[in-house]
Amino acid sequence: MRYAHHTGLLARGPWLPLLLALGALAATVTPALAGPPRDPRPGPGPVPAFTPGGPATTSGDLTAAGAEIYEGHAFDTCDAPSAAAMRDWLDSPYRAVGVYIGGRGRACSAQPNLTPDWVADVDSMGWRLLPLYVGSQAPCVRDDDKSRVPIDATRPRQQGAAEAADAIAAAESLGLAPGSPIYLDMEDYDQRDGACADTTLAFVQAFSRHLTDRGWIPGFYSSATSGIAHLEDARVSGAADLPDVLWYARWRTAPTLVDEPVLDPGAWQPHRRIHQYEGDVTETHGGRSMRVDRNVVHAPVAVLHNDHQVNP
């Protein structure tokens, strides 16, 4: 969507029919194996010095880290819809929603509906949440609006860790618990610019490491041909502290979690992928219209402090 997602993508080859009907993929959730939830912290707190971690792990069962796994369709939209709208959209094939919980690059910053009560309400309806954080952006970001919040090239790791602490505070203020993912939204950028790519990767690594160290699951959203391709190259090169989950935008293609050309089929598996396959479209369900992006998901969703068990 223009407010958050500028993918710069073109469809590959002939347009493919949507082989996966939206209503055909039932939503399922894998129970968490998390221990007792921690108490929310009042603020981000101090940020420790960053030291590189071990080799990146982009495979394995994330439920061991307390993850709840959703498999099905999801939508995201700039402002979290009202609880009434979410109730109306129970008539849709979606059972998960992307919500923008914070970050200095977030377009819809007011978020009047996004409160702890809203989170509890939509969770009780059966919705699963995909928390997105739009922080500092690559210095070579292609979106003019996002260029106003660049990563500081003189201290990308310190800034990445600080923004991860802010993301955790934002998530906890909504009632989310460790074991939840936080998806860092990094808009389309020129990963062929070496200095910019190095700065961006350092920021992402520090952001991911800070989340992991505190029991959260680091995710990463970007366009397939920029940020996702960049992280795949980093994985192949043996880079440490990469995100656990990738959310890739490749529009006007069939919804697939296995055929993304820039990713090795065995990387970021299992249940570590989200594909945003269409954007900026209007849909009507339950008599209510919304402009959304469409996603197919097999990935972690938010865990609530007061509900570490899966709702039916």
Side-chain angles (χ1 to χ4, degrees):
M1 286 188 148
R2 292 175 193 157
Y3 53 76
H5 308 315
H6 175 72
T7 63
L9 302 178
L10 297 176
R12 292 182 290 117
W15 286 18
L16 299 174
L18 294 182
L19 301 177
L20 200 56
L22 288 178
L25 189 52
T28 61
V29 181
T30 302
L33 302 180
R38 300 185 309 181
D39 291 334
R41 291 179 295 165
V47 177
F50 178 86
T51 54
T57 300
T58 61
S59 62
D61 189 353
L62 288 171
T63 61
E68 292 182 1
I69 306 301
Y70 169 85
E71 184 176 8
H73 283 273
F75 73 92
D76 61 273
T77 190
C78 192
D79 271 312
S82 67
M86 296 299 291
R87 187 171 294 105
D88 290 341
W89 268 48
L90 290 172
D91 192 41
S92 76
Y94 304 109
R95 284 300 178 271
V97 56
V99 291
Y100 293 88
I101 64 170
R104 70 191 192 109
R106 181 173 61 168
C108 295
S109 57
Q111 296 291 337
N113 297 315
L114 191 56
T115 65
D117 286 344
W118 181 91
V119 169
D121 285 348
V122 300
D123 178 76
S124 69
M125 296 178 201
W127 289 99
R128 298 294 169 260
L129 303 182
L130 298 162
L132 286 144
Y133 184 86
V134 192
S136 297
Q137 298 291 297
C140 51
V141 66
R142 293 188 170 100
D143 184 276
D144 290 340
D145 183 60
K146 292 292 184 282
S147 65
R148 66 183 174 82
V149 290
I151 298 166
D152 185 344
T154 67
R155 54 184 194 95
R157 294 190 185 280
Q158 181 182 357
Q159 190 175 26
E163 293 194 23
D166 181 63
I168 291 172
E172 290 189 325
S173 74
L174 293 170
L176 308 188
S180 298
I182 297 178
Y183 294 93
L184 176 64
D185 185 326
M186 191 68 66
E187 293 301 311
D188 184 45
Y189 60 95
D190 183 6
Q191 81 280 9
R192 297 165 298 180
D193 180 328
C196 176
D198 290 346
T199 293
T200 304
L201 180 60
F203 177 92
V204 173
Q205 288 173 302
F207 189 96
S208 299
R209 175 67 180 277
H210 192 87
L211 291 185
T212 299
D213 286 349
R214 283 146 187 81
W216 297 73
I217 296 173
F220 180 78
Y221 169 91
S222 193
S223 62
T225 55
S226 66
I228 302 303
H230 183 197
L231 289 197
E232 174 66 355
D233 287 345
R235 182 194 67 81
V236 171
S237 298
D241 300 316
L242 298 181
D244 286 327
V245 189
L246 294 188
W247 185 340
Y248 51 93
R250 189 181 288 276
W251 291 4
R252 300 179 293 277
T253 62
T256 175
L257 295 172
V258 295
D259 295 330
E260 172 47 50
V262 306
L263 292 176
D264 184 282
W268 281 281
Q269 296 281 9
H271 48 63
R272 293 170 179 260
R273 295 188 181 192
I274 302 172
H275 176 197
Q276 186 182 86
Y277 61 90
E278 193 64 79
D280 207 15
V281 296
T282 298
E283 293 189 30
T284 302
H285 302 287
R288 190 183 297 263
S289 297
M290 285 195 276
R291 200 156 187 82
V292 302
D293 295 342
R294 297 168 175 162
N295 307 273
V296 62
V297 181
H298 191 186
V301 290
V303 178
L304 273 60
H305 267 291
N306 61 357
D307 184 10
H308 274 249
Q309 301 301 314
V310 178
N311 292 322

